[in-house]
Amino acid sequence: MDNCIFCKIVEGKIPCAKIYEDELVLAFLDISPICKGHALVIPREHHQSISSVPENIAGRITHVAGRIGIAFKRALDADGFNFHLSDGACAGQVVWHAHMHVVPRGPEDGFRWNWRQLKYDSDAERNDFVEKIKSKLKT
Ligand code: AMP
Ligand code: ZN
């Protein structure tokens, strides 16, 4: 894909701090980490959305991200890690080549997700969400 920075990384046209690669995916350090070690796992194939990534490749992305999380614990003394994926501009996606963030975490790392907790107005409202989503969910 022309003008995709992550395709250029896959093709070796621009450099990256690579930590893993195989026939399906590539992993490298994020250039502006939330915490040092923060990595991105990307498919070699260009897909704008994770929803169009074939199941075997999506599975590999998740598997490799989990292995990187374990490496954070062993190599960086991390206590845990977060996965994060932005899909769509409103969700914060700025690079239009699907990618999974893996962020090493520790109790003193100074970062907190700004995670709000709404409530459904009623059981009926919650059930309405269940039915609407189920009716369009194709796997
Ligand atoms: P987002 O699309 O919001 O999930 O985030 C894209 C991420 O890609 C950001 O965290 C950027 O810091 C990161 N990023 C952008 N360009 C590069 C690059 N050349 N090498 C490594 N990370 C990058
Ligand atoms: Zn791309």
Side-chain angles (χ1 to χ4, degrees):
M1 171 68 72
D2 293 344
N3 287 327
C4 171
I5 192 164
F6 286 178
C7 281
K8 290 194 170 87
I9 287 176
V10 169
E11 292 160 10
K13 291 181 177 160
I14 65 169
C16 71
K18 193 184 296 177
I19 57 174
Y20 177 81
E21 65 181 323
D22 63 27
E23 79 284 11
L24 297 179
V25 306
L26 192 68
F28 51 89
L29 298 187
D30 194 293
I31 205 163
S32 304
I34 290 175
C35 299
K36 290 178 181 174
H38 174 175
L40 303 174
V41 188
I42 73 170
R44 284 188 180 278
E45 290 181 8
H46 181 89
H47 294 271
Q48 179 170 316
S49 169
I50 192 67
S51 62
S52 66
V53 175
E55 188 173 355
N56 64 320
I57 302 176
R60 184 71 61 85
I61 289 171
T62 309
H63 176 75
V64 168
R67 302 313 299 174
I68 291 170
I70 298 295
F72 287 163
K73 291 184 171 185
R74 291 177 177 161
L76 307 183
D77 219 19
D79 279 349
F81 54 90
N82 286 115
F83 285 1
H84 175 82
L85 193 150
S86 300
D87 198 293
C90 66
Q93 186 174 8
V94 295
V95 174
W96 299 99
H97 181 128
H99 52 279
M100 175 82 88
H101 296 255
V102 197
V103 183
R105 299 304 309 274
E108 310 294 336
D109 66 23
F111 180 71
R112 294 286 172 271
W113 299 103
N114 185 17
W115 191 292
R116 68 179 181 182
Q117 294 184 300
L118 301 177
K119 299 266 183 265
Y120 290 98
D121 293 340
S122 62
D123 287 353
E125 187 195 32
R126 187 185 58 211
N127 291 343
D128 191 43
F129 274 83
V130 169
E131 294 309 322
K132 279 182 178 156
I133 296 165
K134 277 170 63 178
S135 72
K136 298 294 180 188
L137 186 59
K138 307 229 185 310
T139 59

